[in-house]
Amino acid sequence: MVRINQSSGLVPFGDPRLCVCAQEQTVAVPQEYPEPDATDSYLIPTLGLHHGAFVFAYISTFLSYITPYDLPVELLRDAFHTKVSFLHLILEALKVESGYICLIAIFFLISLIPLCYTIAWGCAKEPDDDLNPGPTVDAIIQAEELSLEESLHCRKSFLGLVLQVIILLLIAGVIAMFVTNEQIASAINQTPVVVRSSLLDTVTFLHDAEAQIRFVVLEGLATAVERMRNDLENIDKLLGEPIQHHLALFTGIDIIFESIIDISTASSNLARRIHLLQDTLARAAKISYEAEFRLDELQIQLSVLQRQCTFRDRPLCDTLKIKNFEDTGLIERIRRLQTDGTLAKLMSMGEAGRNTSMHALTHELTLARSTFRNYATDVRNATEDTAGRIEERVEQLTNDTQATVDVLTQTVGGLVEKVNRTANFSDSFFDRYREIGAILWLAGLATTIMTLLVSLILLSALSCGCCHADSKAGITLILGAICICIASLALSGFTMIEMLLGAHGQVFICHPLYNEPAYTVLQKLIDKPGLIYPTEPQYGIIGELLREASPPGSRPARPIQVSLSSALNDCEKGRGSFATFQLDALVNLSTVDQRRQRSGLDRVIDSVGAGEEPFLGFTVRIQAILEDMLSDSDLNLTGTRMELTQVSPDKDVLTFIDQLQRVSAQIQDVATTSRMTTLGSRAKRLQLSLLAPLEQLRGDIVYHLTALELQLSPWATQVNKSLTHLRNAQTFLDAEAAEVCYNRSDTYRRRLRGHLEAYYNHTARVLGDRCASCRPLFDIFDAMRMLFCHHIMDPMNGLWFSAFLCLFLWAVATPLSLMLSSTYRRLELLASKLQHSSSQRYDPRASTREDQRESSQWATQRSVSVHVNAVAESSTDDDDGGDRDAEEEGAVVIEYIELSYANGDPTNYHESLI
């Protein structure tokens, strides 16, 4: 908004309506420029790459501790351009991969644990010598064997429980391996879609950004140009009328013109009054001429009468006198009024004749008002040529800006061609990529199935143990251990390969991609020194891409120096592409401004303006007419009116008639009296026929003079006041019109420039803010790293971690399986010895009781029945004496002794006979 302050003092004349203090005028430059609409037809947000739980993302933190070194960028650059040998690359890579080597060694050593333990277990001597069956044993020894059996059962239960937990963990690891393997395969299959969508979104972004920038630059300029053209077309309203209103406000010229019109109306009334006066004077003159003739005749008759009077009456006759018009001066005064030039001018002023003063005043007033009121139109007509030159310069500026924007369009076209070439190359790459993905998926599936089969062998061994098939369970466990020995080597190899792929991808690729906000490694890889260029790019990858894509022959205003890290950070914040990628080097608005100055547009705009010439002295003729009117109003009507008031021929005649009657009464001569009566009759007729109407006209003349005097004084005052105001207004116009016209013209010129300046400011603000936001580029970048790191690398790290967990569990399960197999074997030998001991002859009833106690023994495992073979002795029981005698001599008698253990201690027992 451009604010112009203009002040002026009080006007020279004292009309309170015209005393205007300093005012503040504001010229507003409209800012409503069209805003571009960004497209929302991007494919990346519809793929749902951010959905899902990434369980194994924590492994990346572990890998960062293993390899805390930065990526050897210079070594990779030399290897990328085949400047170093493969052996040298391997040796240099080993310097920073000590952590991976340690992990590989750990995997390999853990994979050897099952094999080594199995070999050691096979070569060890089994402690089963004391379990050989004998004919008889001592009761205490037999009890110790039973205690050993119980401890073996406890060991079997404990080892089985631990092995069950391990098998559950193995199954969980197998499930994790299967899930992560499927996630990797799904992500690999989705990779072509994501890459193609990214390339399509890149092309969409390039076209959309170019369209938005073009829209802002060209449509904004078109809007500014349209407003300039509207201002040029409305220059009468924007420049002429403000000057006209300002001058009218500070001079009150419109009010003065209205007062002069009022003077014209008053002059018409005054002329009508003078016309009535002249008409009355004409009638009075006509009557006075006849009355003068009759009065002269009457005076002659009086002279004759006086001569005819007798000597005695002569003194009375000589007293008779009559005043003629020459003595009273009435005719002279009437003639003087009739021939008065001032009255004639005043009377002609109110007439509509062509050569009258009122006609001249009306003509000059009409011309002055037309000059003042048509000033805006005159300004528009006077600036038509300048407006045409401004439009030519503006058209040239528009063409230059269009050519500048075309450079951006061609540059974007070159970038789109690069993206299309990349898309064509990616189609052939994805076939090989899918093959590699299929191989990895098959390897992962085979490894998962192998791990599952080994786990199922262990689970089947436990199932056999639960079904009391101890011998089968032991053999199955040994088979499982052997399978683990073989499968561990294969699983460790798969784990090593997956670990190398996943860990290298995580540390050397994902870590640089997520190294926010510095992106140190990524910037070194692409900006400096840059892998894709044989020589180090001078201004970074973005500047090189824009330079290569720009049309031949076009030179940017300055080099584009945009680092990749700053571009990614700005795009993540959603800043505009124009400011982020320094596209002002291609579409330089300051250059457009300089081109505007060089094209002469400013000089042509400076030539636009309104002149003060129409206001200089355009009321001089009106002032001259008013001055003449004012000088004509200087009449001494009071003296003339007083003179006419003192002159009365009618009264003189009446006085003469009265005197004649008195004298006639005194004269003694009848003839003289008769002649005097006749003369009196003639005088009376004269008075009644001429002098009385003349007296009436004289009164009318005095009345018209009085009325004229009453009208002339305020009329002269109004003329004087209007003349004074007009002189002051013209003085102000002569002194201030030039400055007012210059200030208003300067304001109008600033308004024209303001449209372009507002356009530049608006365009710079919009382009520097969020117009053509490069957020879609960051979304593409984020989608690619999300796909590779979270959808491929995290499951791959989860796959090798799950495989390593299974490998570790195998290393633990192998000794458990072999120990449990040994336990099954010892239990089997111990059971066979006890069965051999109880295979001697015994009473069927005792056998039945023994079976019952044996079953009670397996149920409680607190009281144990021991079989003791002894020779029959004499019975101590008297009640049983008959029965003992009935038995054959030499028969074997089986007695049952119950051993009760205190607190489960086999060495602390109590015998009781059953």
Side-chain angles (χ1 to χ4, degrees):
M1 182 173 291
V2 182
R3 189 175 294 275
I4 307 298
N5 295 331
Q6 293 183 348
S7 61
S8 175
L10 298 178
V11 294
F13 43 93
D15 191 345
R17 294 174 298 174
L18 305 178
C19 296
V20 183
C21 298
Q23 291 188 352
E24 195 177 76
Q25 294 185 345
T26 301
V27 178
V29 178
Q31 300 292 334
E32 296 79 8
Y33 287 92
E35 295 287 344
D37 295 329
T39 182
D40 55 353
S41 59
Y42 289 102
L43 301 176
I44 287 297
T46 63
L47 299 180
L49 292 175
H50 294 271
H51 302 295
F54 306 108
V55 181
F56 297 99
Y58 62 89
I59 300 180
S60 60
T61 305
F62 169 73
L63 294 175
S64 63
Y65 288 115
I66 294 179
T67 307
Y69 307 102
D70 289 335
L71 192 65
V73 180
E74 290 78 8
L75 180 62
L76 289 180
R77 180 173 178 270
D78 294 338
F80 185 82
H81 295 289
T82 63
K83 294 182 178 180
V84 295
S85 62
F86 182 75
L87 179 60
H88 178 72
L89 179 63
I90 295 297
L91 293 177
E92 293 294 331
L94 290 177
K95 296 180 181 180
V96 295
E97 295 190 352
S98 57
Y100 295 149
I101 296 175
C102 293
L103 281 179
I104 291 174
I106 291 173
F107 293 164
F108 182 72
L109 293 177
I110 291 177
S111 66
L112 293 179
I113 289 176
L115 179 63
C116 295
Y117 188 85
T118 302
I119 295 174
W121 179 81
C123 295
K125 181 180 180 181
E126 293 291 340
D128 295 332
D129 297 339
D130 55 343
L131 297 177
N132 293 327
T136 58
V137 292
D138 188 74
I140 297 176
I141 296 175
Q142 197 75 4
E144 291 180 354
E145 291 179 351
L146 293 175
S147 176
L148 177 61
E149 182 183 10
E150 182 180 3
S151 64
L152 289 176
H153 279 290
C154 291
R155 180 185 298 178
K156 181 188 72 170
S157 300
F158 174 74
L159 292 176
L161 178 63
V162 175
L163 192 59
Q164 288 178 7
V165 173
I166 291 176
I167 291 174
L168 291 177
L169 294 177
L170 281 172
I171 293 174
V174 169
I175 294 174
M177 290 176 62
F178 179 79
V179 172
T180 52
N181 189 53
E182 292 299 322
Q183 287 180 348
I184 295 172
S186 176
I188 290 176
N189 291 330
Q190 194 182 8
T191 300
V193 177
V194 175
V195 173
R196 291 192 184 96
S197 300
S198 300
L199 295 175
L200 290 176
D201 282 357
T202 303
V203 173
T204 302
F205 165 75
L206 291 174
H207 287 304
D208 183 53
E210 184 269 337
Q212 291 189 53
I213 295 173
R214 171 182 286 272
F215 183 88
V216 170
V217 175
L218 296 183
E219 291 298 325
L221 181 59
T223 302
V225 170
E226 184 64 25
R227 290 174 180 172
M228 290 182 67
R229 289 174 177 169
N230 290 335
D231 288 352
L232 292 174
E233 292 177 358
N234 298 319
I235 191 173
D236 52 345
K237 298 179 181 178
L238 297 174
L239 180 58
E241 290 183 2
I243 294 175
Q244 180 181 343
H245 293 162
H246 182 87
L247 295 178
L249 182 65
F250 278 82
T251 60
I253 194 69
D254 291 332
I255 300 176
I256 296 173
F257 288 155
E258 294 296 332
S259 66
I260 294 175
I261 293 175
D262 294 339
I263 291 174
S264 300
T265 304
S267 299
S268 299
N269 296 331
L270 188 64
R272 283 196 298 271
R273 178 62 60 182
I274 297 174
H275 182 74
L276 293 175
L277 175 61
Q278 290 293 343
D279 186 47
T280 305
L281 287 173
R283 288 188 287 115
K286 182 179 180 180
I287 295 175
S288 65
Y289 292 151
E290 186 176 355
E292 183 182 12
F293 176 75
R294 298 282 295 276
L295 193 60
D296 289 342
E297 288 181 351
L298 185 62
Q299 190 173 9
I300 292 173
Q301 291 176 2
L302 178 61
S303 299
V304 173
L305 177 63
Q306 287 178 346
R307 286 193 300 268
Q308 290 177 357
C309 286
T310 63
F311 178 76
R312 187 183 56 185
D313 294 329
R314 186 174 294 275
L316 290 173
C317 291
D318 290 339
T319 59
L320 295 173
K321 289 184 180 179
I322 184 172
K323 292 182 180 180
N324 58 12
F325 281 13
E326 291 181 1
D327 294 335
T328 60
L330 178 61
I331 295 177
E332 182 183 356
R333 289 181 178 84
I334 290 173
R335 287 176 179 176
R336 189 170 63 246
L337 285 175
Q338 282 183 322
T339 59
D340 193 320
T342 303
L343 287 176
K345 287 184 179 181
L346 290 176
M347 185 176 63
S348 66
M349 235 182 341
E351 297 177 356
R354 186 174 296 274
N355 296 325
T356 60
S357 299
M358 187 55 61
H359 179 270
L361 179 62
T362 304
H363 176 71
E364 293 296 334
L365 182 61
T366 303
L367 183 61
R369 294 180 68 179
S370 176
T371 301
F372 191 83
R373 292 183 177 179
N374 295 332
Y375 177 74
T377 305
D378 295 339
V379 169
R380 178 177 181 179
N381 296 331
T383 55
E384 286 184 354
D385 295 338
T386 306
R389 292 197 300 270
I390 290 176
E391 290 190 358
E392 291 177 0
R393 298 297 189 277
V394 167
E395 187 67 25
Q396 180 181 355
L397 178 62
T398 303
N399 295 333
D400 293 342
T401 307
Q402 178 72 41
T404 304
V405 176
D406 289 341
V407 174
L408 175 64
T409 303
Q410 296 176 11
T411 302
V412 170
L415 293 176
V416 170
E417 290 180 0
K418 287 180 176 292
V419 174
N420 292 332
R421 287 196 298 269
T422 303
N424 296 331
F425 170 75
S426 63
D427 292 337
S428 60
F429 171 77
F430 285 139
D431 296 334
R432 187 66 177 273
Y433 179 77
R434 290 191 187 92
E435 293 177 359
I436 296 175
I439 294 173
L440 291 177
W441 177 76
L442 289 175
L445 182 62
T447 305
T448 303
I449 294 174
M450 178 191 69
T451 308
L452 179 61
L453 290 177
V454 174
S455 302
L456 291 177
I457 292 175
L458 297 178
L459 183 61
S460 63
L462 288 179
S463 300
C464 293
C466 293
C467 296
H468 301 289
D470 296 343
S471 59
K472 294 180 180 179
I475 295 173
T476 306
L477 288 174
I478 295 173
L479 178 62
I482 295 173
C483 292
I484 289 175
C485 295
I486 299 173
S488 292
L489 298 176
L491 185 60
S492 64
F494 176 78
T495 305
M496 294 176 190
I497 295 174
E498 292 290 332
M499 187 272 296
L500 290 177
L501 293 177
H504 282 81
Q506 182 67 44
V507 175
F508 293 147
I509 298 179
C510 294
H511 179 68
L513 292 179
Y514 281 96
N515 185 23
E516 300 173 346
Y519 296 102
T520 307
V521 177
L522 190 63
Q523 187 167 343
K524 288 181 180 180
L525 285 173
I526 299 180
D527 274 350
K528 291 183 179 182
L531 284 177
I532 63 176
Y533 292 102
T535 58
E536 182 174 322
Q538 185 176 2
Y539 302 113
I541 182 66
I542 296 176
E544 292 293 333
L545 289 175
L546 291 175
R547 183 183 61 81
E548 292 177 357
S550 59
S554 63
R555 292 186 58 186
R558 56 180 176 78
I560 299 176
Q561 302 181 5
V562 183
S563 64
L564 188 64
S565 60
S566 63
L568 289 175
N569 292 324
D570 291 343
C571 291
E572 184 178 8
K573 298 174 183 177
R575 290 193 60 190
S577 302
F578 194 85
T580 301
F581 301 112
Q582 298 180 5
L583 297 181
D584 54 336
L586 300 177
V587 185
N588 193 352
L589 295 180
S590 60
T591 303
V592 176
D593 190 17
Q594 296 172 1
R595 191 177 292 116
R596 176 197 63 152
Q597 298 175 1
R598 290 196 302 268
S599 64
L601 181 58
D602 288 343
R603 291 192 299 272
V604 178
I605 291 177
D606 289 337
S607 64
V608 177
E612 72 282 2
E613 292 82 7
F615 301 116
L616 301 179
F618 80 108
T619 63
V620 174
R621 288 288 301 159
I622 300 176
Q623 294 180 39
I625 295 173
L626 291 178
E627 288 175 356
D628 293 340
M629 295 172 66
L630 186 61
S631 64
D632 293 340
S633 65
D634 189 12
L635 291 174
N636 187 12
L637 298 178
T638 304
T640 305
R641 181 171 53 82
M642 293 301 294
E643 290 178 354
L644 290 174
T645 304
Q646 294 174 2
V647 176
S648 179
D650 183 60
K651 291 181 180 181
D652 292 342
V653 172
L654 290 176
T655 301
F656 171 73
I657 293 172
D658 183 64
Q659 185 183 9
L660 185 62
Q661 288 177 355
R662 287 195 301 270
V663 171
S664 170
Q666 296 177 8
I667 293 178
Q668 298 176 359
D669 188 19
V670 177
T672 303
T673 301
S674 176
R675 286 194 290 270
M676 284 186 178
T677 301
T678 302
L679 184 61
S681 299
R682 291 177 180 176
K684 188 65 175 177
R685 287 194 300 270
L686 175 62
Q687 187 270 332
L688 292 174
S689 63
L690 293 177
L691 295 181
L694 182 60
E695 181 64 21
Q696 182 67 32
L697 290 176
R698 185 190 66 83
D700 293 340
I701 292 172
V702 172
Y703 170 76
H704 286 308
L705 287 175
T706 304
L708 180 61
E709 187 177 7
L710 292 176
Q711 287 182 346
L712 187 60
S713 178
W715 179 82
T717 302
Q718 187 177 5
V719 171
N720 186 27
K721 185 177 179 180
S722 298
L723 180 60
T724 304
H725 287 172
L726 191 59
R727 285 174 180 173
N728 293 334
Q730 187 61 56
T731 302
F732 178 84
L733 291 174
D734 294 340
E736 301 293 336
E739 183 178 357
V740 172
C741 291
Y742 176 78
N743 291 335
R744 291 290 178 174
S745 299
D746 188 59
T747 301
Y748 178 76
R749 289 190 290 267
R750 281 201 297 270
R751 180 184 176 90
L752 290 179
R753 295 192 191 95
H755 290 308
L756 292 177
E757 292 174 359
Y759 155 70
Y760 293 134
N761 296 334
H762 169 79
T763 304
R765 179 180 60 81
V766 171
L767 293 180
D769 189 14
R770 295 186 179 274
C771 173
S773 172
C774 61
R775 176 69 190 191
L777 285 182
F778 182 80
D779 292 339
I780 294 171
F781 169 76
D782 189 44
M784 296 303 298
R785 68 179 183 178
M786 177 70 65
L787 172 68
F788 187 79
C789 296
H790 290 293
H791 290 271
I792 296 180
M793 288 296 105
D794 283 350
M796 187 171 292
N797 289 327
L799 180 60
W800 71 256
F801 181 77
S802 300
F804 168 73
L805 180 63
C806 293
L807 185 66
F808 177 77
L809 292 175
W810 279 354
V812 176
T814 300
L816 290 176
S817 300
L818 295 177
M819 291 171 61
L820 186 59
S821 175
S822 300
T823 302
Y824 279 133
R825 181 169 176 274
R826 296 185 66 184
L827 282 174
E828 184 181 2
L829 292 176
L830 182 61
S832 63
K833 180 177 180 181
L834 292 176
Q835 185 178 4
H836 177 74
S837 299
S838 61
S839 62
Q840 305 295 330
R841 290 184 57 197
Y842 58 91
D843 188 11
R845 293 176 300 169
S847 176
T848 301
R849 293 176 60 189
E850 181 183 357
D851 293 339
Q852 293 176 352
R853 287 197 176 272
E854 186 175 358
S855 63
S856 174
Q857 167 197 341
W858 288 107
T860 61
Q861 296 191 4
R862 287 294 180 182
S863 60
V864 181
S865 296
V866 181
H867 303 279
V868 179
N869 296 323
V871 179
E873 297 179 357
S874 60
S875 175
T876 58
D877 191 352
D878 297 335
D879 295 334
D880 295 336
D883 296 333
R884 296 291 184 183
D885 294 337
E887 294 177 353
E888 296 180 356
E889 185 178 356
V892 178
V893 179
I894 301 175
E895 295 182 349
Y896 297 93
I897 301 174
E898 183 178 8
L899 299 179
S900 300
Y901 295 95
N903 297 326
D905 188 2
T907 60
N908 186 9
Y909 61 91
H910 175 72
E911 297 182 1
S912 60
L913 182 64
I914 299 177

